[in-house]
Amino acid sequence: MLQKLGAAAKGRRAGKSMKNLGDSGTVRRLNWLAKTMGAKTYLEIGVLAGKTFRNVRVKTKHAVDPNFLFDPSEFEDRNTCYYQMPSDEYFAHHIGERQYDLVFLDGLHTYEQTFRDFCAVLPHTHARSVILIDDTVPKDPYSALPDGREAERQKEAAGHVGGGWNGDIYKLIFAIHDFFPTLSYVTINQGKGQTAVWRQPRPDFAPLMNSHESISRMTWHDMQENLAIMKLEDRDAALERVASGIFRK
Ligand SMILES: C[S@@+](CC[C@H](N)C(=O)[O-])C[C@H]1O[C@@H](n2cnc3c(N)ncnc32)[C@H](O)[C@@H]1O
């Protein structure tokens, strides 16, 4: 698989076989991407207890969350900044100031907010940045509801067990598909799903719905009927696709 990559990618990735990833997990994926890309700057939107943020190995890291579950001042240093505020406020105050190599979007799990986070972060990225969007593949109609409590209520009423909760972030992938012809993406079909996005034009660009309204009104069943749009791949194939995308000649 590795020999398909360009020379630049091969050089950067010497000795970094996908096999070294070991177990699945967000931290391992982000660290694999960070190492492969040589990432020096990282932004995480939605940090909670810092389980992911604190374990991502990138020199300069910025964390944004209105409610950190820890005291950020204990962990702050020259290269690690914590912004206790909603993502909208962060982007409104820091637009254009910074560029990030790697971004993890894991804030409020609604389509509208993740769409806004996604659009707001784009000017903070460059030709070889990667944006990883969390929770993009809900396994059932309940997990795909934008309101977590309502999802739990409906699940319980239906006697449905398991599946977790994603929110309706999956709609963002349809919006990227229909409205961002200069971006490529692939979805890791594991756990609750994560979609990686990078700058690479899609020559086969053809909008499916061509309507923000239709996308925002989508249901989980609509997603299932149009699953090809999600570009689902297993983890290794997906990460390989990202690496060949950003290091293409
Ligand atoms: C799923 S948790 C994040 C988990 C974390 N990324 C990890 O991997 O451990 C979602 C977080 O998003 C935060 N959040 C909610 N609304 C937000 C907003 N408007 N902007 C930024 N973060 C937000 C919540 O406070 C919560 O901590």
Side-chain angles (χ1 to χ4, degrees):
M1 234 198 292
L2 295 184
Q3 62 272 24
K4 280 198 227 145
L5 298 176
K10 274 192 236 166
R12 280 172 185 264
R13 301 186 52 205
K16 295 171 202 157
S17 155
M18 204 72 73
K19 301 274 182 292
N20 294 338
L21 256 177
D23 298 338
S24 64
T26 300
V27 172
R28 283 169 191 272
R29 270 170 215 168
L30 285 165
N31 279 331
W32 187 89
L33 282 168
K35 197 167 177 184
T36 303
M37 302 158 64
K40 292 191 170 47
T41 49
Y42 172 72
L43 171 69
E44 186 169 317
I45 300 292
V47 172
L48 197 68
K51 203 176 90 191
T52 301
F53 184 76
R54 288 213 290 270
N55 290 302
V56 169
R57 292 189 296 274
V58 174
K59 187 176 174 199
T60 300
K61 302 196 290 185
H62 293 165
V64 179
D65 197 306
N67 299 301
F68 292 112
L69 292 189
F70 55 95
D71 178 0
S73 64
E74 284 181 27
F75 300 94
E76 212 139 26
D77 61 34
R78 251 181 67 222
N79 296 313
T80 314
C81 302
Y82 294 87
Y83 298 88
Q84 184 140 352
M85 58 184 74
S87 50
D88 289 344
E89 193 179 328
Y90 174 74
F91 287 120
H93 284 92
H94 297 282
I95 191 78
E97 274 173 30
R98 298 161 175 163
Q99 280 214 319
Y100 296 105
D101 300 321
L102 186 57
V103 176
F104 184 40
L105 292 186
D106 192 17
L108 193 65
H109 282 30
T110 64
Y111 166 55
E112 290 75 15
Q113 185 62 56
T114 41
F115 180 77
R116 200 155 54 231
D117 288 345
F118 182 76
C119 292
V121 86
L122 281 178
H124 295 265
T125 61
H126 54 78
R128 286 190 171 170
S129 298
V130 175
I131 302 171
L132 190 66
I133 306 162
D134 202 37
D135 289 317
T136 52
V137 190
K139 293 286 185 288
D140 55 65
Y142 313 106
S143 313
L145 295 175
D147 182 331
R149 264 184 238 150
E150 179 60 13
E152 274 309 309
R153 199 191 63 73
Q154 289 198 21
K155 231 181 235 197
E156 218 174 289
H160 185 93
V161 180
W165 174 66
N166 294 56
D168 61 348
I169 298 168
Y170 66 93
K171 296 173 185 171
L172 173 59
I173 312 314
F174 285 78
I176 294 170
H177 176 271
D178 277 17
F179 294 101
F180 293 86
T182 60
L183 301 178
S184 290
Y185 63 91
V186 65
T187 299
I188 301 169
N189 191 17
Q190 199 172 40
K192 293 203 273 175
Q194 290 177 329
T195 301
V197 185
W198 66 95
R199 289 193 198 177
Q200 180 176 10
R202 273 176 285 141
D204 59 348
F205 177 76
L208 176 76
M209 292 178 239
N210 209 20
S211 156
H212 281 296
E213 188 185 351
S214 304
I215 292 172
S216 75
R217 289 183 191 281
M218 276 180 79
T219 64
W220 178 83
H221 297 282
D222 297 327
M223 182 192 86
Q224 292 300 308
E225 278 170 22
N226 295 287
L227 217 47
I229 300 298
M230 297 295 290
K231 298 187 191 285
L232 297 171
E233 301 253 13
D234 71 29
R235 180 199 63 190
D236 291 5
L239 292 176
E240 197 65 43
R241 192 178 291 284
V242 179
S244 16
I246 57 175
F247 290 119
R248 73 193 181 282
K249 287 203 180 128

